[in-house]
């Protein structure tokens, strides 16, 4: 088992009245004024906006609002928010993200950017540039998908450079997760979160070498838990327990707990980042679904990670046949109503070369951990396999 | 699913050369001199003493040594250490525990005690007394058993009062876990750690109500992992991967990760605390083994937590029959060579009333979370069931 450092300092307030506690927690942390980052406005419909603002004002935390963070968040918006937070007259002492992964990732970059001398994108493109400590980041989560509410990472897009890059940037200090605010999410968003977290788990699980009994067992437990929860949510959108367990599983799937001793395989995420850098309209979860469905049968046919495939088939899908498990995995995605073909996500065969080129450029900036180190030809093979479906 | 706060801020350095890093980490945290707490001296045989001291001196961290913390650690030793750490001339800025759960628990109490005005025992006996922040605590772990290296708890014994009480006192800041130092442990100590962690998992698992899909699945995964690792360690004492996975599973079993949404059942631990408050020579793990083996068949016969018993039987022991699973659990303890009868741990029927009295007094100080709230008569029934074996 490989050596590792495990550190997961984010304090999680979890449950139905957790948003009501965020003001007191921020004040108690010594922060008197925050810049709040929001997405497109759904928080004004589901009550999260009012509840958050009330909690802040109840405990005397002042704020400035910053709206308009999009999915596949842009470095340009982050730069705008940094300049507001940097302005001494505004007196910003912390960043509060109210939203999903895109808003939280942006908040982390803003927190670091306020204390960073140069342009924030430098830190993303140059792995040698280690960020110093930034302003503290707090979050109120509105959708469980990326686990950014309790992990160290952030992903930003830079359309001018056709790049989408994820780095380890810093943990939120405190996150409030009220699963009941997710009742109103449309199915497509739930599905994207489910695919993202299952994808992360599978990428960590299919990993060299197979020595990490504990992480492997926990990983499989979380895969089962996510599949069980999503099934319950699909049949009853307002099943609080299913929502709560889903939110908690998704958080666990990424916050570092399932990684110790597993080298992990980031191929699927890297191909997807190339896809959505090429076309920023592609939802991360949808891109992952399309790639995963093609990737795992190829990985298995190449004889890579055979032992893991057998254990995975037995534990997650209750069968001794890996082929049957791969079929059940495919059927699961049909049940989840994920896209499975390139043209389901507005791509076609003519886009493959350009995507592979971005994949290759991004790999050169930051090499993925991979059980199967992909050449450009390998990446093309995977994308072409999607075409054939 | 119940609401919860999850916070697990301890930074874990895990692996073969983790002890070598502790000096740099302590220095980096801003601490220049530590009081080191040790147990009986095994660290001078397994190399941990020299490695720790070298790491401290390599990074310019000065120290004072304090020896002689025993299993079932005494508040009297903690008071001694507090007076040394409080002495301004000694310049102590942090506490470093080098040992197992007893040493770490004592270190946590010393860290708090240095900043506390009254007697440290007050905090243990009066739940209303909340400790303020103390000196930072660092640990170098020598035996995986209580998970004190990454959890918030500490248990101290007060023989004058015939009390043994555990409280939530504070997390270590940084813990170094090198599983290879555990190669030299005698089987009895490994067994005690295995029983302690499995016992904690089972107490959390058999919990009202059965809503926490995620925590339940992770809990069962860790039970399986511990059973698999212990089997490997028993057949090869120097199997590093088994040691490493065991150490990591044991840490997870207690640090709070398996608790979210589970109410837990602390009956077995509370009875054991009464037992070893009555006779401090009883090893915690041995007491737990004797009680567990009697407790679960009674719990099942009373019709409590039937659903959980079925899932547990299937997942951990691969059988649909709970009776068969209970038999396999009993056989596991025989395989682990745990004591199973009262006289295996130097007790007999005449001791039962006194133990029940302590159990009752301790319950009144701090009520356990229990799926089956025990009266004195219930506690007596459980202890008498052990007699009949």
């Amino acid at each position: 088992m490989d050596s590792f450092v495990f550190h997961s300092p984010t304090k999680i307030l979890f449950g139905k009245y957790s948003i009501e506690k965020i003001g007191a927690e921020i004040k108690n942390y010594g922060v008197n004024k925050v810049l709040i980052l929001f997405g497109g406005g759904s928080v004004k419909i589901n009550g999260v906006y009012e509840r958050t603002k009330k909690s802040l004002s109840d405990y005397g935390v002042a704020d400035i609002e910053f709206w308009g963070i999009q999915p596949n968040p842009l470095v340009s918006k982050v730069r705008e928010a940094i300049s507001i937070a940097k302005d001494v007259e505004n007196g910003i002492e912390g960043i509060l993200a109210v939203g999903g992964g895109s808003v939280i990732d942006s908040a982390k970059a803003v927190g670091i950017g306020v204390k960073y001398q140069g342009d924030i994108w430098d830190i993303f493109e140059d792995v040698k540039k280690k960020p110093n400590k930034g302003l503290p980041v707090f979050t109120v989560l509105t959708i469980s998908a990326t686990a950014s509410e309790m992990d160290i990472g952030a992903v930003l897009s830079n359309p001018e450079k056709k790049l989408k890059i994820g780095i380890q940037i810093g943990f939120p200090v405190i996150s409030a997760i009220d699963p009941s605010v997710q009742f109103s999410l449309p199915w497509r968003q739930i599905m994207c979160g489910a695919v993202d977290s299952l994808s992360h788990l599978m990428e960590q699980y299919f990993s060299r070498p197979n020595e990490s009994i504990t992480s492997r067992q926990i990983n499989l437990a979380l895969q089962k838990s996510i599949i069980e929860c999503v099934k319950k949510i699909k049949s009853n959108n307002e099943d609080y327990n299913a929502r709560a367990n889903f939110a908690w599983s998704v958080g666990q799937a990424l916050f570092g707990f399932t990684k110790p001793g597993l080298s992990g395989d980031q191929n699927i995420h890297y191909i997807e980042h190339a896809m959505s850098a090429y076309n920023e309209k592609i939802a991360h979860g949808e891109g992952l679904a399309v790639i995963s469905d093609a990737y795992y049968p190829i990985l298995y046919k190449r004889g890579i990670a055979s032992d893991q495939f057998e254990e995975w088939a037995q534990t997650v899908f209750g069968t001794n046949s890996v082929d049957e498990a791969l079929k059940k995995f495919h059927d699961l995605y049909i049940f989840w109503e994920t896209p499975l073909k390139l043209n389901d996500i507005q791509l076609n065969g003519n886009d493959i070369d350009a995507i592979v080129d971005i994949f290759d450029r991004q790999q050169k900036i930051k090499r993925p951990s991979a059980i199967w180190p992909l050449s450009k030809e390998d990446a093309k093979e995977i994308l072409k396999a999607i075409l054939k479906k």
Side-chain angles (χ1 to χ4, degrees), chain A residues 92-160:
Chain A
I92 297 298
E93 298 171 354
I95 314 296
L96 172 59
V98 179
S102 302
V103 178
I104 299 171
D105 284 8
S106 299
K108 290 175 180 177
V110 174
I112 293 295
V114 172
K115 301 276 186 177
Y116 183 69
Q117 297 300 322
D119 176 40
I120 187 69
W121 184 255
D122 298 347
I123 292 175
F124 282 76
E125 205 170 338
D126 183 351
V127 287
K128 279 168 285 178
K129 289 216 160 67
K130 297 275 177 212
N132 288 321
K133 219 176 161 207
L135 291 184
V137 173
F138 310 92
T139 91
V140 170
L141 185 72
T142 57
I143 173 167
S144 293
T146 70
S148 188
E149 66 276 15
M150 55 200 294
D151 81 5
I152 196 173
V155 185
L156 288 186
S157 290
N158 186 330
E160 292 78 33

Side-chain angles (χ1 to χ4, degrees), chain A residues 26 31-36 56 61-64 92 94 96 138:
Chain A
I26 291 173
V31 166
N32 299 296
K33 189 170 184 183
V34 289
L35 179 69
I36 317 184
L56 293 177
V61 179
D63 70 78
I64 294 177
I92 297 298
L96 172 59
F138 310 92

Side-chain angles (χ1 to χ4, degrees), chain A residues 78-98:
Chain A
V78 167
R79 288 187 189 118
E80 275 180 48
I82 289 171
S83 76
I84 296 169
K86 261 189 172 169
D87 186 336
V88 183
E89 284 191 15
N90 288 329
I92 297 298
E93 298 171 354
I95 314 296
L96 172 59
V98 179

Side-chain angles (χ1 to χ4, degrees), chain A residues 357-382:
Chain A
D357 279 344
I358 297 173
F359 171 78
D360 191 52
R361 278 169 57 220
Q362 299 200 146
Q363 266 210 114
K364 280 172 186 154
I365 291 170
K366 194 162 153 257
R367 194 124 196 107
S369 164
I371 192 165
W372 171 24
L374 297 183
S375 65
K376 282 180 80 169
E377 284 312 306
D378 295 328
K380 199 177 280 185
E381 179 191 340
I382 294 161

